[in-house]
Amino acid sequence: MITDILDLGEATKLRGQVVVVGSGIAGAEIATHLARHGRDVILLESGRAQFDPSIQALNDVIFLGKRHRELNPNSYYHQYLPAELRGVSRVRQFGGTSNVWTGKWKYLQTSDFEPRSWVANSGWPISFTELVEHYRSAAKDYGFGDLEAEAIRPEIVALRAKIAVHGLKMSSFYWEQTPTRTAVRFGEEMRRSKNLQVVLGATATELKLDASTQRVTAIACRSLEGRELIVEGETMILAAGAFETARILLASNRQLPNGIGNAHDLVGRFYTDHPKHHTGVLHPDFLAQQYAQELQYAPKPRFCVCFALDDATQEAEKLLEHVLYLKPIYEKPINRLWRTLRGRPAYQDDNGTIASYRVKFVTEQIPHKDSRVKLATECDSLGNKKLEVDWCFTDLDRQSMAKTVQLLTDRFQAARLGTFDFADKPPNLETMTDAAHQMGTTRMGSRPEEGVVDTNCRVFGTENLYVASSAVFPTGPSYSPTFTILALARRLGQHLLQTTLVKK
Ligand SMILES: Cc1cc2nc3c(=O)[nH]c(=O)nc-3n(C[C@H](O)[C@H](O)[C@H](O)COP(=O)(O)OP(=O)(O)OC[C@H]3O[C@@H](n4cnc5c(N)ncnc54)[C@H](O)[C@@H]3O)c2cc1C
């Protein structure tokens, strides 16, 4: 059932077998999965069904380093969204950020999990093989196209080979027609479920520990209207996104002064995003025609491709993964005249004649300790400390970006894919925006000295507290994190069912 904290009458306490915080893709997935398997689940969600600016304001942070884009009804970003949601990086509403996301699904590659000697703090303590069954089952259940089959489609293999000789690689992602909105996908099931109780308007403010400080016994919640609620459970899962998950751990500092899971001062650190840059065009050369079908953005759903320098070049030049997306810009009559006068060929896809491609560069960041979120002294309207966000880069990030742009420029020309034109604005980290992909604030490690959660996403130092979020990503090489968030949530669900959660 779905309730509101204001509908709970006199009740000030609830109890579930599992308590999940957050109803985005991670939280909704794991809560419904466990409820379907007969476990009693309570899902706490700060937002409500409708977007409410005063609840959204609980996400406000203080930027110390590079800023994010912000809510702005006139934003260039997300013109397809209602004005009140444009430009936002995280959404506090039932369904979370899935209310605004774009619906591109991409899985990590095997190599993304491996340590790279030239990237400090790289490498995951789990491998691709430990996630693959969850990627597969998610793709089947959500009805995505088969990315594994797509990767070996003969046309794609042939196109990949043509650019491989130039030190370039190409990968595919699946783009939904209507992006999965968890409130739509799971709303009815949640309403009808006998095992799942969703409580809207309930902001988790603090985790309560037992005397051993190793077991979370309850989660304290508050609403903007002043309602308070204590929710007890056996297993607690934080699925509140990378910022708010770290915030809850840090704010739960009554019994452990540094917060929960923070014995090694790692909570909130290693924050990375995917800085992205939207300026510049590619003037296509003759080979681009062969890629045109795979690059077009419509009709959806569809598979699309993106480019990067190949792994050998990244290793030889000590570079990060910088990914290049190309969006067709179609010819207008004036462009046609210009092209005809110059005797240039026409490049076509199914939607028209291509004048050029709009360039989007998206980059991985080196995970490092100083890029972080931490508690501020200023409080939000619930009296909780806000987050200070110090999003910053290293010299290696900058060098890697500059070198990659130069190599891609040379190689695109050599391959006759086209020529970049960035005018006076070449891609550069200082002018890039965030991609709304917050990662790494409770990174996964093999040992407590290396991370906040273990390989099962359990918070080190606790027996029953787990994280389902890109917060656990040690690195974020691939541009789209959500497929991996979903796969990890499903893996955690399976782990809990097999190990700790006895059916009642
Ligand atoms: C415009 C946009 C486009 C995007 N496009 C893509 C894309 O195409 N592909 C891709 O892979 N990724 C994309 N992303 C990123 C993607 O949306 C996120 O990775 C994903 O939605 C994160 O899901 P989540 O469940 O971890 O977190 P969220 O969806 O952010 O859910 C967290 C939930 O926790 C709730 N919450 C927070 N704090 C508390 C608290 N204290 N108590 C109770 N509840 C709390 C929030 O209200 C929210 O509902 C996009 C993001 C944006 C903004």
Side-chain angles (χ1 to χ4, degrees), residues 21-28 44-47 55 59 69 78 80-81 85 88-106 175 202-205 239-242 244-245 248 435-438 468-470 479-483 485:
V21 179
S23 69
I25 285 179
L44 303 169
E45 170 53 54
S46 176
I55 294 181
N59 273 354
R69 58 198 191 194
H78 318 137
Y80 61 93
L81 291 172
L85 288 173
V88 70
S89 291
R90 309 178 285 137
V91 179
R92 262 204 205 219
Q93 186 184 348
F94 179 45
T97 311
S98 81
N99 287 296
V100 302
W101 83 311
T102 322
K104 291 183 203 137
W105 298 89
K106 192 168 192 288
W175 201 343
T203 301
T205 55
E244 301 307 318
T245 294
I248 295 167
H437 297 169
Q438 306 87 28
S469 164
S470 48
Y479 173 49
S480 302
T482 309
F483 204 176
I485 297 175

Side-chain angles (χ1 to χ4, degrees), residues 152-170:
I152 52 169
R153 181 159 60 89
E155 293 84 351
I156 291 288
V157 172
L159 289 175
R160 213 183 294 127
K162 281 187 186 151
I163 54 170
V165 293
H166 295 281
L168 296 169
K169 68 177 182 182
M170 194 180 99

Side-chain angles (χ1 to χ4, degrees), residues 314-445:
Q314 290 184 26
E315 182 167 4
E317 300 284 345
K318 303 195 179 345
L319 302 174
L320 297 162
E321 176 105 338
H322 304 267
V323 185
L324 177 70
Y325 290 78
L326 297 173
K327 178 183 181 187
I329 303 172
Y330 294 102
E331 211 173 61
K332 300 195 173 93
I334 180 76
N335 307 120
R336 190 170 312 126
L337 183 65
W338 185 91
R339 177 174 54 76
T340 318
L341 286 174
R342 279 163 183 75
R344 296 259 170 95
Y347 300 106
Q348 309 270 352
D349 69 16
D350 295 340
N351 301 310
T353 303
I354 297 150
S356 57
Y357 286 96
R358 186 151 175 263
V359 174
K360 180 167 90 177
F361 260 106
V362 184
T363 173
E364 175 192 13
Q365 261 188 271
I366 292 183
H368 71 113
K369 272 182 125 177
D370 296 341
S371 186
R372 66 183 296 196
V373 302
K374 60 180 196 270
L375 293 182
T377 42
E378 196 181 311
C379 290
D380 66 16
S381 53
L382 285 176
N384 297 319
K385 285 190 173 154
K386 289 186 174 181
L387 279 182
E388 285 178 348
V389 179
D390 195 353
W391 182 33
C392 53
F393 309 103
T394 66
D395 285 345
L396 263 173
D397 287 298
R398 294 185 189 88
Q399 287 157 15
S400 176
M401 183 76 206
K403 183 73 185 173
T404 301
V405 171
Q406 181 216 316
L407 288 173
L408 282 174
T409 302
D410 295 348
R411 292 180 185 190
F412 263 59
Q413 258 174 357
R416 305 279 315 263
L417 273 168
T419 311
F420 293 109
D421 179 0
F422 295 115
D424 56 351
K425 291 185 185 142
N428 129 21
L429 283 170
E430 314 321 319
T431 54
M432 288 165 117
T433 65
D434 69 299
H437 297 169
Q438 306 87 28
M439 297 170 286
T441 54
T442 65
R443 72 196 318 249
M444 189 191 283

